[in-house]
Amino acid sequence: MALIGTVGFCLVFYMAGLIGILDALEDVFPRFYAHITTRELRPEIPEAVFTILVLLCLRWLAPLDAIDAWIADAALFGTLLYLSTRLHERALYIALLTLTGIINWTLWGTHPGSLVPLVILMVVNSFADWFNDHTWDFILMTLVVSAVTWGTATWVNAWDLVEATIVGVIVTVTMIASHWYGRLVVSRQQQGKRLRYSSNHDELTGIRSLHLFRRDYRTYQRLMRSNPDAHLTLVMIDLDHFKQINDTYGHLTGNEVLITFARDIEAYLVAMPYFCGVYRTGGEEFSVFLYELTDAEAKEAIDAYIKRLRDLVVMRSYPEKRITLSVGMSRVHGYDEPLKQAIARTDAKLYEAKHGGRNRVAQQTGGQTAMAD
């Protein structure tokens, strides 16, 4: 009874904690990393690093006494089986299995038969999406994998058959319960992601929203604080005569124009080798951040896009129609300049471009204004 109670209690809370921490790492850490560096990080990376640390801890726990060894072996198997249906990067999972064999051999030993569970776990990982989508198949898979793994481990390590059977049953039941718990956590996580996406992205065009525009400005301020020589340029864009497009062709066509333009300029900026971002900050108004570019380089980047725009079909029903832009540009005055102040200066340049005949760029450079068609 002591074996059942101790292993069962420890394994249930271990798996609950493991699932919770892995989901937190997948959900929070990449966003934190992107917030600090403005770069993306695959969520599998922090998950793999954390798992390696866990495996090292289990390796330390195993030799303490008999029950601790059972707990370590059960937790090790639970970790690998759960990750087999979670890690979609197969090469990363194989590397994790290899590392497990190096740092912890208490479950399978060095007997050639110990390769059998490893092969089965790799197969499970290859069909992870199938098992995750089919509950009864997952249950059957868990039963088969547990039976094969614990049977092999009992044979290789000459474990007591009764104790091995007890622990194997505990592990199997716990893994099935963990599967349900994991699905619940993932479902809530996905709901949170959808809420964050809707608050950070414009509903119509799908590009970044005004909310994210303000938040990203603070990120760029931190980057400028650590690199005082870096430049940040704010660009404000207005689609010329957009009200006329709505009045002439209808609001659905107007929406098509906004969507096409927004996705095209975002695709253009994504390909650039510098930090940048495009945001919808009003009806037909968009804003762009260009980081680490001089005034001349920022102007050249916008001019290049305006030339590209001459060939962009924005209305499928009227493919011959083109749009033009009025653009205001100005450099942010240091990492401590308030966003409202930067917007006011750039908006003044946009006003000059619009009242100077539209279809042009007005840029403030070193306290001076440059106007170009």
Side-chain angles (χ1 to χ4, degrees), residues 245-283:
I245 293 175
N246 277 335
D247 293 342
T248 304
Y249 304 105
H251 287 277
L252 290 179
T253 300
N255 288 343
E256 181 185 3
V257 170
L258 290 174
I259 294 170
T260 303
F261 165 73
R263 293 179 178 175
D264 185 72
I265 190 172
E266 184 178 48
Y268 168 79
L269 290 173
V270 164
M272 296 297 104
Y274 46 79
F275 293 152
C276 53
V278 57
Y279 312 80
R280 187 183 181 197
T281 49

Side-chain angles (χ1 to χ4, degrees), residues 128-201:
D129 292 335
W130 170 266
F131 291 122
N132 287 329
D133 293 338
H134 299 80
T135 301
W136 289 108
D137 290 322
F138 177 87
I139 293 175
L140 179 60
M141 177 273 294
T142 303
L143 292 172
V144 172
V145 174
S146 297
V148 172
T149 300
W150 286 100
T152 302
T154 302
W155 169 52
V156 169
N157 298 304
W159 287 343
D160 180 83
L161 182 60
V162 175
E163 290 185 343
T165 302
I166 292 173
V167 176
V169 171
I170 293 173
V171 170
T172 303
V173 173
T174 303
M175 290 308 302
I176 294 173
S178 298
H179 173 70
W180 287 101
Y181 175 66
R183 292 188 64 174
L184 176 63
V185 172
V186 169
S187 175
R188 292 183 175 178
Q189 185 185 78
Q190 290 173 343
Q191 291 177 358
K193 286 181 178 179
R194 286 194 291 269
L195 290 174
R196 285 194 301 273
Y197 184 88
S198 62
S199 66
N200 291 334
H201 292 79

Side-chain angles (χ1 to χ4, degrees), residues 180-363:
W180 287 101
Y181 175 66
R183 292 188 64 174
L184 176 63
V185 172
V186 169
S187 175
R188 292 183 175 178
Q189 185 185 78
Q190 290 173 343
Q191 291 177 358
K193 286 181 178 179
R194 286 194 291 269
L195 290 174
R196 285 194 301 273
Y197 184 88
S198 62
S199 66
N200 291 334
H201 292 79
D202 176 59
E203 183 178 1
L204 176 64
T205 63
I207 66 171
R208 299 175 183 182
S209 66
L210 178 62
H211 169 74
L212 201 57
F213 171 74
R214 293 172 177 148
R215 196 181 77 183
D216 285 356
Y217 182 71
R218 294 192 292 270
T219 300
Y220 284 115
Q221 284 182 308
R222 286 194 294 271
L223 291 173
M224 287 190 293
R225 184 179 294 111
S226 61
N227 183 13
D229 295 329
H231 296 164
L232 177 65
T233 300
L234 174 59
V235 183
M236 299 181 67
I237 300 171
D238 190 87
L239 274 64
D240 292 333
H241 307 295
F242 183 74
K243 183 178 183 302
Q244 184 179 341
I245 293 175
N246 277 335
D247 293 342
T248 304
Y249 304 105
H251 287 277
L252 290 179
T253 300
N255 288 343
E256 181 185 3
V257 170
L258 290 174
I259 294 170
T260 303
F261 165 73
R263 293 179 178 175
D264 185 72
I265 190 172
E266 184 178 48
Y268 168 79
L269 290 173
V270 164
M272 296 297 104
Y274 46 79
F275 293 152
C276 53
V278 57
Y279 312 80
R280 187 183 181 197
T281 49
E284 67 273 21
E285 297 177 356
F286 297 82
S287 297
V288 175
F289 284 129
L290 301 174
Y291 183 67
E292 292 186 323
L293 297 183
T294 64
D295 293 338
E297 290 170 339
K299 177 67 163 50
E300 182 180 352
I302 297 301
D303 287 341
Y305 179 73
I306 290 176
K307 291 180 181 178
R308 167 193 173 110
L309 194 62
R310 296 170 186 170
D311 297 323
L312 180 65
V313 176
V314 293
M315 293 180 274
R316 287 170 293 179
S317 302
Y318 306 93
E320 74 283 357
K321 298 296 182 181
R322 297 292 184 269
I323 60 172
T324 60
L325 307 177
S326 295
V327 180
M329 302 176 60
S330 67
R331 187 198 304 177
V332 174
H333 292 169
Y335 65 83
D336 57 349
E337 180 177 23
L339 178 58
K340 289 183 178 180
Q341 184 174 311
I343 290 176
R345 289 189 295 101
T346 310
D347 192 50
K349 300 300 109 184
L350 177 61
Y351 180 87
E352 289 183 15
K354 293 171 66 173
H355 289 266
R358 300 180 188 270
N359 189 23
R360 62 192 62 218
V361 178
Q363 180 185 27

Side-chain angles (χ1 to χ4, degrees), residues 95-117:
L96 198 59
L97 286 181
T98 303
L99 186 60
T100 300
I102 295 174
I103 66 176
N104 194 322
W105 56 87
T106 59
L107 183 58
W108 295 304
T110 57
H111 192 281
S114 63
L115 295 177
V116 175

